[in-house]
């Protein structure tokens, strides 16, 4: 871990990453791609030392409250968050200034802040987004070695449900010849139905590979699934979009099951929902009185 001073924290679309790099080790991680120009080892996480004062300043200056997003590039609940509590401090500011929050994580550490997330949701809006890829726990450990297992994430989703905090699941990536089976998709969807998730984002049954993440992914295939790298190279070459050979059937299954369960599964509508911020009257009054 190392520290850096940054010039700004909120993107034009009100997203932020308090950390840069990640300790979670998912073998398919796109954030490793060279197009992001990271100048340090991916595992040597950069901590933006002035992120919290910058955020407070940005929230104070905003003319209208809105949703603040976290976790698009780096999980906000890395192991080091236990000690640093930057995500927690950011959420406290979001609560204090009457904004809404949404974050993407693969960690049950999110439950540490359950009460805070619940309060934000009661005051304005809070949505927790969680990625699920692999129903089989042993396979999950190989693909995502340092995050909460899928079962643990499922338990976290249920706790969020019980606290009234809405959840959105990202069903991706689906890796050809590894987790691209009906059994896997059905298992994950069973979890989603039981946890009463509001919606599921799925861009297709596949993954992306580009410079930087491809090399790491192939190294990990050699280490954990000997022979599979060659199969990928033969079938996909240097393609960016890597679709499962079972993609069509699995997408049909996905849409059918979501429709049956009443789970929103239209990506455009889900992103519109995540962005939407209608401040409740009471929150506005408490803010400006
Ligand atoms: S949690 Fe996200 S950012 Fe971290 S390694 Fe996994 S995919 Fe990459």
């Amino acid at each position: 871990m190392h520290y850096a001073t940054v010039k700004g924290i909120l993107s034009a679309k009100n997203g932020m990453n308090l950390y840069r790099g990640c300790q979670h080790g998912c073998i398919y991680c796109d954030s490793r791609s060279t197009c992001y120009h990271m100048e340090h080892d991916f595992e040597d996480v950069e901590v933006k030392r002035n992120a919290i004062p910058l955020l407070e300043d940005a929230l104070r200056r905003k003319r209208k409250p809105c949703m603040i997003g976290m976790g698009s590039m780096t999980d906000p609940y890395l192991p080091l968050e236990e000690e640093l509590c930057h995500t927690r401090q950011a959420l406290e500011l979001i609560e204090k200034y009457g904004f809404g929050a949404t974050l993407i994580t693969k960690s049950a550490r999110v439950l540490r802040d359950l009460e805070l997330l619940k309060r934000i949701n009661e005051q304005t809006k809070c949505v927790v987004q969680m990625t699920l890829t692999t129903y089989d726990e042993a396979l999950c450990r190989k693909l995502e070695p340092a995050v909460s297992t899928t079962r643990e994430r499922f338990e976290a989703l249920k706790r969020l449900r019980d606290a009234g905090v809405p959840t959105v699941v990202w069903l991706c990536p689906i890796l050809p010849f590894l987790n691209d089976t009906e059994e896997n998709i059905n298992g994950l969807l069973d979890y989603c139905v039981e946890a009463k998730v509001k919606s599921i984002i799925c861009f297709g049954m596949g993954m992306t590979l580009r410079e930087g993440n491809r090399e790491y992914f192939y190294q990990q295939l050699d280490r954990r699934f000997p022979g599979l790298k060659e199969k990928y190279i033969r079938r996909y070459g240097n393609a960016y979009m890597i679709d499962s050979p079972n993609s069509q059937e699995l997408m049909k299954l996905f849409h059918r099951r979501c429709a049956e369960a009443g789970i929103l599964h239209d990506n455009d509508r889900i992103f519109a929902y995540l962005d939407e911020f209608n401040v409740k009257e009471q929150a506005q009054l408490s803010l400006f009185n």
Side-chain angles (χ1 to χ4, degrees):
M1 173 186 103
H2 65 279
Y3 283 89
T5 303
V6 292
K7 290 195 178 123
I9 193 66
L10 277 187
S11 71
K13 292 190 167 172
N14 300 310
M16 64 179 174
N17 290 282
L18 301 171
Y19 305 120
R20 195 150 189 251
C22 188
Q23 302 166 296
H24 280 159
C26 307
I27 70 169
Y28 50 74
C29 179
D30 175 68
S31 297
R32 290 180 179 275
S33 304
T34 51
C35 59
Y36 299 119
H37 305 293
M38 201 170 289
E39 281 153 15
H40 51 88
D41 285 347
F42 190 68
E43 286 75 15
D44 176 19
V45 174
E46 183 171 289
V47 178
K48 300 175 184 176
R49 63 158 69 81
N50 55 339
I52 300 302
L54 280 178
L55 176 65
E56 180 151 28
D57 189 46
L59 297 185
R60 261 205 213 113
R61 283 163 187 270
K62 280 207 178 281
R63 296 176 65 192
K64 267 179 34 186
C66 59
M67 292 298 285
I68 304 292
M70 279 189 257
S72 62
M73 291 292 292
T74 296
D75 198 309
Y77 286 100
L78 296 177
L80 53 73
E81 165 62 19
E82 283 180 18
E83 198 184 319
L84 295 177
C85 296
H86 284 193
T87 298
R88 186 176 177 83
Q89 289 171 49
L91 289 169
E92 284 167 348
L93 287 177
I94 288 169
E95 181 191 26
K96 178 177 168 188
Y97 288 96
F99 281 68
T102 184
L103 53 88
I104 311 175
T105 184
K106 284 190 190 124
S107 176
R109 282 186 202 94
V110 66
L111 294 176
R112 180 199 65 184
D113 295 335
L114 185 60
E115 284 306 310
L116 179 53
L117 298 165
K118 191 177 164 195
R119 284 201 308 272
I120 295 172
N121 190 51
E122 285 164 0
Q123 179 179 284
T124 54
K125 177 177 167 188
C126 178
V127 184
V128 172
Q129 303 173 57
M130 199 163 266
T131 307
L132 300 181
T133 69
T134 311
Y135 182 70
D136 180 284
E137 292 283 280
L139 182 58
C140 171
R141 265 284 157 262
K142 288 183 173 184
L143 303 180
E144 299 162 339
V147 281
S148 302
T149 68
T150 302
R151 179 85 209 175
E152 290 164 343
R153 281 174 249 169
F154 166 56
E155 297 299 332
L157 285 168
K158 286 193 292 181
R159 294 271 309 276
L160 288 155
R161 172 200 65 196
D162 294 344
V165 176
T167 54
V168 170
V169 160
W170 287 71
L171 190 72
C172 65
I174 300 300
L175 313 181
F177 320 118
L178 284 167
N179 60 359
D180 59 338
T181 62
E182 280 194 17
E183 189 190 7
N184 185 49
I185 302 302
N186 272 322
L188 296 175
L189 292 174
D190 288 345
Y191 278 166
C192 292
V193 173
E194 194 175 336
K196 292 191 167 52
V197 308
K198 182 173 177 69
S199 53
I200 305 177
I201 295 170
C202 179
F203 290 104
M205 296 293 170
M207 65 183 302
T208 57
L209 281 180
R210 54 184 160 182
E211 196 186 333
N213 83 317
R214 179 184 285 111
E215 289 74 5
Y216 185 80
F217 179 64
Y218 282 172
Q219 271 172 24
Q220 297 302 313
L221 287 189
D222 278 345
R223 200 173 134 210
R224 296 160 199 267
F225 307 97
L228 198 49
K229 175 182 82 181
E230 290 72 18
K231 201 167 170 181
Y232 268 72
I233 292 172
R234 274 198 305 275
R235 186 171 179 110
Y236 301 108
N238 277 334
Y240 173 57
M241 302 294 295
I242 308 287
D243 264 345
S244 159
N246 310 325
S247 174
Q248 283 195 342
E249 299 80 64
L250 295 180
M251 281 310 282
K252 271 190 213 151
L253 172 68
F254 164 70
H255 287 304
R256 177 174 59 73
R257 289 221 42 204
C258 286
E260 282 167 7
I263 295 174
L264 183 62
H265 54 113
D266 173 322
N267 293 338
D268 290 342
R269 285 178 61 199
I270 300 169
F271 287 115
Y273 160 71
L274 288 170
D275 273 351
E276 185 180 87
F277 188 76
N278 301 316
V279 187
K280 293 169 190 162
E281 241 174 57
Q282 216 176 354
Q284 284 237 339
L285 284 175
S286 66
L287 254 182
F288 298 112
N289 279 339

